Amino acid sequence: GEVSPLPETAVFPNPFSSTFTVTISGGQPAEFFLYDPTGRLVVQQFVKDSLSLDTRQLVGGVYFYELKNQLNRLCVGKLVKQ
């Protein structure tokens, strides 16, 4: 079978203050996970094309994110909340 290329993903702005956006190309749905500095899951959200998250309830610090579809972990990274 053919291996389809992984969709392009972006999470911005970084650092962020109150909201950030997750985008994913290719029309493939995925799930976005955001972990606080202690490793606790604070956001779990379905993404198709684009998602804007309001994070005013989160304290400042370094957060870690993961974006997965059914087959692959698409990206992982760090986000800084100011």
Side-chain angles (χ1 to χ4, degrees):
E2 279 188 37
V3 177
S4 57
L6 288 180
E8 292 282 314
T9 60
V11 181
F12 58 90
N14 189 12
F16 67 97
S17 51
S18 58
T19 62
F20 65 86
T21 301
V22 179
T23 61
I24 179 168
S25 71
Q28 293 257 339
E31 218 163 353
F32 179 79
F33 301 88
L34 186 69
Y35 302 92
D36 76 5
T38 68
R40 194 170 57 96
L41 180 65
V42 289
V43 174
Q44 181 174 355
Q45 192 85 40
F46 189 71
V47 188
K48 189 166 170 26
D49 300 324
S50 175
L51 168 73
S52 280
L53 285 166
D54 181 348
T55 61
R56 279 177 293 203
Q57 79 283 7
L58 299 178
V59 298
V62 178
Y63 288 77
F64 297 89
Y65 67 86
E66 195 173 31
L67 196 56
K68 300 182 193 175
N69 65 14
Q70 288 174 321
L71 305 171
N72 298 295
R73 190 156 80 160
L74 303 176
C75 68
V76 294
K78 244 191 257 195
L79 275 173
V80 177
K81 161 120 186 182
Q82 291 177 322

